[in-house]
Amino acid sequence: MTADPLALIPDLDRATQRVIATADALKDPAAPSLLPGWSQGHVLTHLARNADSMVNLLTWARTGVVTPQYPSWEVRESDIEAGAGRPLADQIADLRDSSARFAEAASALPAEAWSAELSVRTGPIPAALVPWRRLREVEIHHADLGADYAPRDWPEAFAHRLLHEVATGREGISCTLRAASLGHPVVVGTGGPPTINGPAYALAAWLTGRSTGDGLVVEPIGPLPALPDWI
């Protein structure tokens, strides 16, 4: 998958349309999602507020004025709780509108602004990473809805990039990952053994806590390593 932020926008547009289509088919946003303690309404509201938070980061990059992604983590959580119980039609309209605001902000960003350094909860990032981070949110949380979309439905290029990114950032474990669609191993920590084999999407889903790892093959035979929480 390309590192060019503008080249990712069409992928993000398609991912957004997919999650909106899934939301259109939901019956009750109060139904539980796959995230503990969150309903499907929580997930949809989070996706909408996340889009607006990414607009804040692009505004920072464009203007040079420090504009945090969220005013605080407490505000982020309270906004999600406040919006989670809304009717489904309101949730979908909110997600559609907030996604459009993000697309407009990205298309309006001058080329030189993509190199601006921003700060997020996990540390500094260049503005050029913002479209990828939004795409990551949309694809992962689409699967979190627990509806008719799962990690197996992630586009292969997305699964590859997510796998490499998460493997690089994982701490507290060491192993080697081998995906049939990749021509090289992916090292976690200091590498294996064990070596864990499976499709790229399944390995990425396991590393991000979206799967228990059923179907992955461990060599030598044994249990999968215990994973710390993924942030």
Side-chain angles (χ1 to χ4, degrees):
M1 177 171 284
T2 178
D4 181 345
L6 292 179
L8 285 178
I9 298 301
D11 293 326
L12 176 55
D13 289 342
R14 287 187 287 270
T16 300
Q17 291 309 308
R18 286 194 295 270
V19 74
I20 289 173
T22 295
D24 276 331
L26 297 178
K27 303 297 184 184
D28 179 5
S33 74
L34 299 182
L35 293 177
W38 271 22
S39 67
Q40 292 174 335
H42 283 88
V43 176
L44 293 176
T45 299
H46 168 57
L47 281 172
R49 299 289 70 76
N50 175 265
D52 285 336
S53 80
M54 298 290 186
V55 172
N56 289 341
L57 293 177
L58 294 181
T59 300
W60 182 350
R62 178 175 54 82
T63 65
V65 176
V66 175
T67 311
Q69 183 174 2
Y70 296 102
S72 68
W73 204 248
E74 291 73 23
V75 169
R76 170 192 177 274
E77 293 182 340
S78 65
D79 284 348
I80 293 170
E81 286 294 334
R86 294 172 297 167
L88 182 60
D90 292 351
Q91 301 255 15
I92 294 171
D94 186 17
L95 178 55
R96 194 184 304 275
D97 291 346
S98 59
S99 297
R101 288 191 291 272
F102 176 86
E104 182 178 358
S107 65
L109 198 67
E112 64 275 9
W114 288 109
S115 62
E117 186 172 279
L118 312 173
S119 180
V120 296
R121 190 178 181 215
T122 54
I125 63 167
L129 271 182
V130 171
W132 161 250
R133 291 173 71 90
R134 176 59 184 168
L135 177 60
R136 189 181 66 186
E137 289 288 314
V138 172
E139 287 288 4
I140 290 177
H141 288 308
H142 189 174
D144 288 337
L145 282 170
D148 191 24
Y149 195 82
R152 65 176 177 273
D153 300 307
W154 288 339
E156 188 170 72
F158 171 80
H160 287 173
R161 179 164 179 172
L162 180 64
L163 178 60
H164 281 90
E165 179 184 69
V166 180
T168 300
R170 268 306 196 177
E171 297 180 355
I173 64 166
S174 292
C175 58
T176 297
L177 310 177
R178 287 192 177 274
S181 56
L182 287 174
H184 59 271
V186 177
V187 174
V188 182
T190 58
T195 296
I196 304 169
N197 302 273
Y201 77 81
L203 292 165
W206 172 66
L207 279 181
T208 57
R210 266 61 190 181
S211 161
T212 60
D214 287 350
L216 298 178
V217 177
V218 183
E219 298 176 345
I221 295 173
L224 288 164
L227 290 175
D229 291 340
W230 180 64
I231 297 177

